[in-house]
Amino acid sequence: MEPNPYTPGDIPRYLAGRDNELARVEVVLDRVAEGGPAGAPLVFVAPRGLGKTSLLRASEDLALPKGYAVAWVPCVKGQPVLADLVSAVERGLEQVGITPGMTSPRWESLRVEVGGRGLKATGEWVRPPQEESSPGRVLATEEVLRSAARTVRERGGAGLLLCLDELHAPALDETGVLLNALQALANERDVNPLVVLGAGLPSTPGHLTSAATFAERWDYAVLPALDAGASARALVQPAAEAGVRWAASALSLAEGYANGYPYLLQLVGAATWDVARPDAGGSIGPRHTEEGWEVARERLRTLFQGRWDAATAAEQAFLTAMATAGVSPVPRSTVAAALGVPTSSISQTRASLINKGIIARVSHGHLEFTMPGFAEHVREVSGNGG
Ligand SMILES: Nc1ncnc2c1ncn2[C@@H]1O[C@H](COP(=O)(O)OP(=O)(O)O)[C@@H](O)[C@H]1O
Ligand SMILES: [Mg+2]
């Protein structure tokens, strides 16, 4: 058997159907490399599993050969972000052969200013206490980004690409500091070869806007599910590289199961491969796919159960009303009617489920589940039949 080329939960070997998004990224990278303005940060928003991180990684791959240093910051729920930002900038510079400590003697003091962490004797990371007011931290953050971007340029590179993943997550206070620093840099007349890309759950615009109102003018791009052609390529390409082909009937089954959802494409692809155990020159048939889907569904059940258990009682009632409505997308009014309350009183629960990425607003007043199969799971666990 050839090694399994599918990557559920990991960066895909072949990124399908994101040409438009990558083209937008490339336009900005090229413009800034030529000394032009970066414009507002571009932020990709979508529920989990739609391919945001994969797209940011592909953007990084675009930027590196163009001469960018890349600072990659994986934001963490409720956690401060600035210390990680400084470390990420340092790593990005080192990757292109620049040691920031050597180029800027002020680096260490900047690091302390933005709340760089030290290691306690117990092995636990600790942060120095921060004052309420943060103009010092804003200036220091600006200086870190400005000096890094300019240093790359001075050494003949293009500039600095800052990738902020999970941007719905970081603690509000430091998010505000970061946004203010980015805003100040964007308003400078001098050349700042800094490109900012972000990704996060659908709650990201709300989170950023509550940290700093001007973030409502950032450029939010909703990352859609993959269309039929891209779904097929996501399955066919990795197999083709291993000399394995998908029978057309197998492919359309797998596409149907995944419904354009990138994580599901990888999951069903991987499970099918393990059933088929193909050698180079071999092929994948519909039986393999059907059996693979059964395995994939087991994995999904665990994932769905985790989401269900994490939901509040009100959210569970809402989800049950949606799952048993008998139509999709489900009108908001149908959910309210099933719960026996006026439409206005479900808006908070609806918003929290959208923010968690479990459901999505499809058109005015209509909602749907983001992940294929979750509705069935809800019917099962809520005792409304499979
Ligand atoms: N464009 C794509 N083509 C093929 N597979 C993809 C694509 N985007 C994402 N994936 C796959 O989908 C899964 C989720 O991707 P990820 O980037 O982690 O999503 P997110 O960050 O939105 O949660 C991963 O298994 C990844 O391999
Ligand atoms: Mg991600």
Side-chain angles (χ1 to χ4, degrees):
M1 159 168 111
E2 289 288 315
N4 199 318
Y6 298 101
T7 53
D10 230 318
I11 302 306
R13 299 252 182 117
Y14 175 79
L15 187 82
R18 298 304 188 208
D19 297 350
N20 291 341
E21 289 79 9
L22 287 172
R24 286 184 69 177
V25 169
E26 185 156 35
V27 165
V28 182
L29 290 173
D30 288 344
R31 188 171 63 221
V32 171
E34 284 157 17
L42 176 57
V43 181
F44 297 105
V45 290
R48 270 183 216 301
L50 254 290
K52 300 178 295 297
T53 301
S54 302
L55 178 58
L56 280 192
R57 284 293 179 199
S59 304
E60 175 178 20
D61 291 344
L62 263 182
L64 286 169
K66 291 180 188 289
Y68 280 89
V70 180
W72 182 278
V73 184
C75 304
V76 181
K77 185 139 188 78
Q79 294 299 306
V81 65
L82 297 177
D84 290 340
L85 175 83
V86 179
S87 308
V89 170
E90 279 179 312
R91 271 196 308 278
L93 292 181
E94 274 161 20
Q95 209 189 356
V96 298
I98 301 170
T99 311
M102 284 161 58
T103 60
S104 153
R106 295 196 0 265
W107 193 269
E108 202 47 43
S109 57
L110 289 173
R111 175 201 267 294
V112 171
E113 187 70 40
V114 300
R117 293 176 288 192
L119 200 57
K120 240 188 352 194
T122 57
E124 199 184 320
W125 288 101
V126 291
R127 284 165 37 74
Q130 295 291 347
E131 302 151 35
E132 271 299 294
S133 78
S134 50
R137 282 188 290 160
V138 174
L139 288 175
T141 305
E142 266 176 66
E143 181 54 21
V144 165
L145 293 170
R146 184 189 297 110
S147 69
R150 288 193 184 157
T151 305
V152 177
R153 182 60 69 91
E154 280 157 22
R155 303 290 182 89
L160 180 69
L161 169 64
L162 177 59
C163 292
L164 301 164
D165 199 9
E166 308 273 322
L167 206 39
H168 58 274
L172 216 49
D173 157 53
E174 290 211 354
T175 305
V177 173
L178 174 59
L179 297 189
N180 277 287
L182 294 175
Q183 179 79 353
L185 288 170
N187 287 337
E188 274 175 15
R189 295 218 162 254
D190 309 329
V191 177
N192 272 317
L194 172 67
V195 177
V196 183
L197 293 178
L201 293 179
S203 55
T204 305
H207 183 68
L208 297 185
T209 304
S210 59
T213 50
F214 52 75
E216 71 192 7
R217 293 192 300 274
W218 283 20
D219 197 355
Y220 299 100
V222 174
L223 203 56
L226 299 183
D227 63 24
S231 294
R233 286 195 299 282
L235 290 166
V236 167
Q237 282 291 336
E241 277 164 34
V244 172
R245 55 175 286 276
W246 281 75
S249 53
L251 194 59
S252 61
L253 271 179
E255 276 181 57
Y257 296 141
N259 202 16
Y261 205 89
Y263 173 71
L264 282 189
L265 285 165
Q266 297 295 337
L267 195 62
V268 71
T272 299
W273 190 275
D274 286 342
V275 171
R277 304 175 61 80
D279 292 315
S283 69
I284 290 171
R287 291 256 174 78
H288 302 136
T289 311
E290 278 167 7
E291 215 181 298
W293 178 237
E294 288 308 314
V295 178
R297 275 179 59 159
E298 263 322 301
R299 293 265 297 274
L300 279 178
R301 232 187 286 278
T302 315
L303 192 151
F304 289 157
Q305 191 60 37
R307 287 188 176 187
W308 177 259
D309 291 342
T312 64
E315 288 170 350
Q316 289 184 351
F318 192 109
L319 293 171
T320 305
M322 267 184 75
T324 53
V327 289
S328 179
V330 188
R332 207 168 40 161
S333 52
T334 305
V335 177
L339 295 172
V341 297
T343 309
S344 57
S345 61
I346 61 168
S347 55
Q348 213 179 339
T349 310
R350 181 179 51 121
S352 80
L353 287 168
I354 291 174
N355 285 344
K356 287 182 177 178
I358 294 178
I359 65 173
R361 201 185 286 117
V362 273
S363 61
H364 186 71
H366 286 67
L367 302 163
E368 70 179 10
F369 288 97
T370 54
M371 207 168 181
F374 192 53
E376 287 80 1
H377 188 82
V378 169
R379 286 197 288 274
E380 251 171 64
V381 292
S382 63
N384 285 281

